[in-house]
Amino acid sequence: MRAVRYLPERDADAPPLVVRDQLGDEARFDRVVFACPATAAASALSASDASYELSLLRGVAYHDDVSRSDWRDWLEASVHQDPGVLPEEHRQEVRRHAAFVVATDVRGGSGGVANHEVHHVLGSWSPNGAAAASATAASATDASQPDMYMSQCLHAHRSIDEAKVVGSFSAPRSHPDLSYRNLAITQMMHLVQGRHGIYYCGNWCGPGNGHDLSFLGGVVAACAVGADYPFEQNAGAKKDFAGMRQFMGF
């Protein structure tokens, strides 16, 4: 099957885009994709040519901005092997089959706002997480299902057994704040996609902060600058691709 390209027209006489690195070296391109946090894209743009873009990008907020005290764990999260953080009633099922557990405490976190506790169940789906758990003495007694978790924003009444903490993980600018402001910016990004030959993708400019949606947004942006669409024979994937293209304004 012939590969299909989704390449928008660009003025033949449009000036090339100049990309300059931290050493002052320059390269010229017809199109550029920013597959990075909004803050990084804003820092790289020329203010004189991208006033509309900057007004959107600089408005994106992230959990690790720590505007709330109970968001501190979005900046650095504990990696541990304590299954006690999981709900007791469904613990064994979660250990084996769940990827994430999100528990809401309506009693509130900062300022009385409900706290959302997140546990990444790495031992059930991550080969590296399972291998690391199996290699440590703190692993679960059930060796067939090693425990490895990353926990964020614990409830006030929750604690992790310090003896089972094996490290920490930090992924700055990985989680945009789920706020009305960010949602509005997401809905307006189609107004600047492709302007001056510049495109944006990532978890802050798609319809939701999910791994699959972020990946799909990257595929859409890649195809917008001339890449071949890789999943033509999968009707379901093609339908999702078409929906994302429409959402992103391509």
Side-chain angles (χ1 to χ4, degrees):
M1 180 176 292
R2 181 178 64 85
V4 177
R5 291 181 181 273
Y6 300 91
L7 184 63
E9 294 297 327
R10 186 168 184 254
D11 256 339
D13 58 353
L17 298 166
V18 179
V19 177
R20 183 180 299 108
D21 65 21
Q22 69 273 24
L23 301 178
D25 294 330
E26 294 183 353
R28 286 167 168 73
F29 302 92
D30 293 325
R31 292 173 174 84
V32 169
V33 175
F34 280 108
C36 60
T39 47
S43 297
L45 289 175
S46 169
S48 60
D49 297 326
S51 57
Y52 296 124
E53 289 86 339
L54 289 174
S55 64
L56 295 175
L57 303 184
R58 288 173 175 168
V60 177
Y62 289 85
H63 275 106
D64 54 290
D65 291 329
V66 198
S67 55
R68 281 172 41 182
S69 62
D70 55 330
W71 285 354
R72 64 190 183 282
D73 293 334
W74 288 102
L75 184 59
E76 186 167 359
S78 293
V79 179
H80 62 93
Q81 295 181 268
D82 183 4
V85 299
L86 304 177
E88 185 175 3
E89 181 181 359
H90 305 289
R91 186 169 297 163
Q92 296 307 315
E93 188 73 10
V94 169
R95 288 175 62 220
R96 288 167 170 78
H97 303 297
F100 304 94
V101 175
V102 180
T104 299
D105 183 355
V106 296
R107 290 171 292 182
S110 177
V113 179
N115 186 62
H116 305 289
E117 179 181 86
V118 180
H119 304 288
H120 304 250
V121 189
L122 304 177
S124 70
W125 61 268
S126 168
N128 289 339
S134 298
T136 64
S139 185
T141 53
D142 179 1
S144 66
Q145 185 57 51
D147 290 300
M148 186 65 76
Y149 309 95
M150 182 176 74
S151 298
Q152 295 170 294
C153 298
L154 294 182
H155 297 326
H157 61 276
R158 184 92 65 203
S159 62
I160 298 171
D161 184 345
E162 291 295 329
K164 295 183 178 180
V165 174
V166 297
S168 63
F169 177 79
S170 180
R173 294 298 186 264
S174 62
H175 289 274
D177 171 15
L178 184 58
S179 64
Y180 287 115
R181 181 177 68 178
N182 276 6
L183 290 172
I185 292 171
T186 296
Q187 295 288 334
M188 292 190 289
M189 282 303 298
H190 70 92
L191 300 173
V192 298
Q193 289 283 12
R195 188 169 180 259
H196 302 308
I198 300 175
Y199 302 79
Y200 309 87
C201 63
N203 57 2
W204 56 276
C205 52
N209 176 28
H211 297 177
D212 50 347
L213 292 171
S214 299
F215 167 78
L216 185 55
V219 173
V220 169
C223 291
V225 299
D228 295 333
Y229 177 67
F231 308 115
E232 285 289 345
Q233 297 182 7
N234 186 314
K238 188 70 176 295
K239 182 177 180 181
D240 289 342
F241 176 74
M244 183 66 85
R245 285 186 68 219
Q246 182 177 18
F247 181 88
M248 294 178 70
F250 296 140

